[in-house]
Amino acid sequence: ATRFITPLTLRDFRRVLSNPHLWLLSFLFCCFNTAFIAFVTWGPTFLHNQRGISLTDAAFQVSLVSILAIIACPTAGWVSDRIGSRKTIMVWPMVLMGLLLPFCYGAGTSTFLFLVIAIGFVAGFVPTGVFAGAVEAAADERLSGMAMAVIQIGQNTGMLLGPLLFGWLVDFTGGWATGFWVLAPVCLSGAIAGWIAKVR
């Protein structure tokens, strides 16, 4: 408790900004949001253009990703606290997303819906693990705000890059298949970063 008596200094904030494990988590979250937001953004257009589904139905199907993620978040928190690991609920869901997302391209209507449900549920685990792991990686509860700031850099970068990258791939490099398959190495890169990061 005595460590809270000493006021924070610029050195403490620099220590957060130079923490490689926080930046690895931020990169993981960047990869997560790149893939997740790209899928949520372009999924309805894909279903409408390639499967002939109305935009209303297509938007509803893809929205299930976010609905399932909402349900998964508290489940992820419970599992993380139960097993005592943040890394597990960050890394393995990223691996699963990397395996599932590419198959959305060739999936039929019912299979696509199944993949959406699976992706949505596993995706809900990643943010919980990242946020909890970031606070612990900062090693001082008073620096949790700065830790979150580093994570938000990755989050917003991914939200920016995801739709742009996917749209560019669809337009200029061979169509929808390329866009979906590129999401696999994006997710796996994030999983590797999370595995390397020194969090429990």
Side-chain angles (χ1 to χ4, degrees), residues 20-82:
H21 305 294
L22 276 175
W23 287 106
L24 285 169
L25 294 179
S26 184
F27 177 74
L28 183 158
F29 212 35
C30 176
C31 293
F32 169 78
N33 279 282
T34 296
F36 188 84
I37 300 301
F39 182 71
V40 171
T41 300
W42 289 103
T45 305
F46 168 76
L47 289 176
H48 180 67
N49 290 348
Q50 302 297 308
R51 299 290 183 265
I53 299 174
S54 71
L55 282 175
T56 301
D57 290 342
F60 172 75
Q61 282 195 35
V62 176
S63 73
L64 292 176
V65 170
S66 298
I67 295 172
L68 267 295
I70 292 171
I71 296 172
C73 285
T75 305
W78 182 84
V79 170
S80 178
D81 292 338
R82 182 82 173 177

Side-chain angles (χ1 to χ4, degrees), residues 28 136 189 197:
L28 183 158
E136 293 177 359
S189 296

Side-chain angles (χ1 to χ4, degrees), residues 16 22 26 29 127 130-136 138 143-156:
V16 173
L22 276 175
S26 184
F29 212 35
V130 170
F131 292 136
V135 173
E136 293 177 359
L143 296 170
S144 59
M146 281 297 296
M148 289 299 102
V150 173
I151 299 304
Q152 290 296 318
I153 291 173
Q155 175 180 356
N156 289 301

